[in-house]
Amino acid sequence: MNRRFLNAVMVLLLVAVAGCASSKEREADMEKKNNRAETHVMLGANYLQRGQLDVAKEELDKALKEAPDNSQANNIMAVLQWRLKKYDEAERFFRKALDTNPANSSAHHNYGAFLCDRGKLDAGVRHFDAAAGDALYPYTAEVNLNAGVCLMKKPAPAEAEKYFREALRINPKLPSALYQMAKLSLDSGHRLSARGFIERYFQSAEDTPESLLLAVRIERALGNKNAEASYALRLRNKFPTSPEAGQLHAASTPKKK
């Protein structure tokens, strides 16, 4: 074999080996950066949940410095910007989260909630549907609940009911879905169904002023004075200064002639 040719082959082999080593080093470095980013994302999400927004932002800034294209880092940063009422920034981060990973169901869920909050109801529901279509996403019941709440803002009660019922199919004890179905049933004249849903609600959740006032309205519509009085007493005793207790008092006070 020509010696010059042999030397050229050896050089190419060495370059190829060096290239492989360099590629592996880059992959290892990228993996380390992603691991550090994910740690910062988890910390940022925890601080965000506790309401420590400044510390959350510090952690998320670190995550994005390590891995600017990390989908979940962009997703949680978007939620933080939303909390800070920096809506344009929130929009930008949500879009980046989904551009880098269109299958990020958490980002679809959060972005859907953001869009509904901003009045973009149909767009919000589309993102909820994307998240709900992921069988591995652990919050599909909540996604359907949020889609229903979003549709009630239109209002579109018939469409919303489908989502509330799907939420309850997945999680029959989901309190907010039970409350929404009780309210929707009462408003549509299905009083016995409304009673059934609100009773199931109280089996799964703590009393709230809103739920007790709804129970009062349901029993009043059914003409059950004893049950109405019982719920009214619970509302007055547990939440005496609530606006709902005030509504109850105003509703039960006879008008002066």
Side-chain angles (χ1 to χ4, degrees), residues 173-195:
K173 295 183 178 181
L174 188 63
S176 295
L178 290 167
Y179 173 85
Q180 291 292 340
M181 279 303 302
K183 187 173 183 298
L184 193 153
S185 297
L186 178 62
D187 291 344
S188 61
H190 297 98
R191 300 166 186 173
L192 287 173
S193 292
R195 173 190 276 170

Side-chain angles (χ1 to χ4, degrees), residues 145 168 171-181 197 200-201 204-206:
L145 167 65
L168 290 172
N171 180 0
K173 295 183 178 181
L174 188 63
S176 295
L178 290 167
Y179 173 85
Q180 291 292 340
M181 279 303 302
F197 283 117
R200 285 170 60 190
Y201 170 89
S204 304
E206 298 291 327

Side-chain angles (χ1 to χ4, degrees), residues 27-255:
E27 288 177 7
D29 184 54
M30 184 63 70
E31 185 176 355
K32 287 179 183 177
K33 285 186 174 183
N34 277 323
N35 288 339
R36 288 196 296 267
E38 286 172 8
T39 299
H40 289 302
V41 170
M42 285 190 291
L43 289 169
N46 286 332
Y47 285 123
L48 178 58
Q49 195 170 24
R50 295 176 196 167
Q52 295 174 260
L53 305 187
D54 290 344
V55 188
K57 187 174 184 305
E58 288 177 13
E59 292 295 337
L60 294 170
D61 282 337
K62 290 175 184 176
L64 289 168
K65 185 176 180 180
E66 292 282 1
D69 291 334
N70 184 290
S71 180
Q72 196 63 355
N74 282 282
N75 175 29
I76 303 303
M77 179 62 92
V79 175
L80 173 63
Q81 297 299 325
W82 179 15
R83 288 278 300 273
L84 294 171
K85 302 187 187 304
K86 296 182 178 180
Y87 303 121
D88 289 343
E89 285 294 286
E91 178 87 27
R92 183 172 69 83
F93 281 111
F94 275 130
R95 287 180 179 276
K96 181 72 176 289
L98 290 169
D99 284 345
T100 52
N101 181 9
N104 185 338
S105 296
S106 173
H108 279 295
H109 192 174
N110 290 332
Y111 192 26
F114 170 79
L115 290 169
C116 284
D117 181 61
R118 303 301 296 154
K120 300 175 182 178
L121 308 182
D122 291 331
V125 171
R126 285 197 295 273
H127 283 281
F128 286 138
D129 285 341
D134 180 0
L136 297 178
Y137 186 54
Y139 301 108
T140 51
E142 288 79 4
V143 170
N144 280 283
L145 167 65
N146 289 335
V149 171
C150 188
L151 285 165
M152 287 300 291
K153 291 182 177 182
K154 279 189 165 186
E159 291 180 65
E161 182 176 350
K162 295 175 186 177
Y163 284 96
F164 294 143
R165 289 190 180 278
E166 178 62 12
L168 290 172
R169 186 193 67 78
I170 298 166
N171 180 0
K173 295 183 178 181
L174 188 63
S176 295
L178 290 167
Y179 173 85
Q180 291 292 340
M181 279 303 302
K183 187 173 183 298
L184 193 153
S185 297
L186 178 62
D187 291 344
S188 61
H190 297 98
R191 300 166 186 173
L192 287 173
S193 292
R195 173 190 276 170
F197 283 117
I198 201 65
E199 286 178 350
R200 285 170 60 190
Y201 170 89
F202 288 124
Q203 291 169 8
S204 304
E206 298 291 327
D207 290 354
T208 65
E210 296 84 2
S211 62
L212 288 170
L213 181 60
L214 178 57
V216 169
R217 290 178 55 217
I218 291 168
E219 294 303 334
R220 183 179 296 161
L222 286 165
N224 190 331
K225 298 293 184 184
N226 288 337
E228 178 188 344
S230 176
Y231 282 123
L233 183 62
R234 272 163 68 177
L235 176 52
R236 289 192 187 97
N237 287 343
K238 288 191 170 185
F239 309 101
T241 61
S242 67
E244 288 76 11
Q247 291 177 45
L248 189 67
H249 178 72
S252 62
T253 302
K255 293 180 180 180

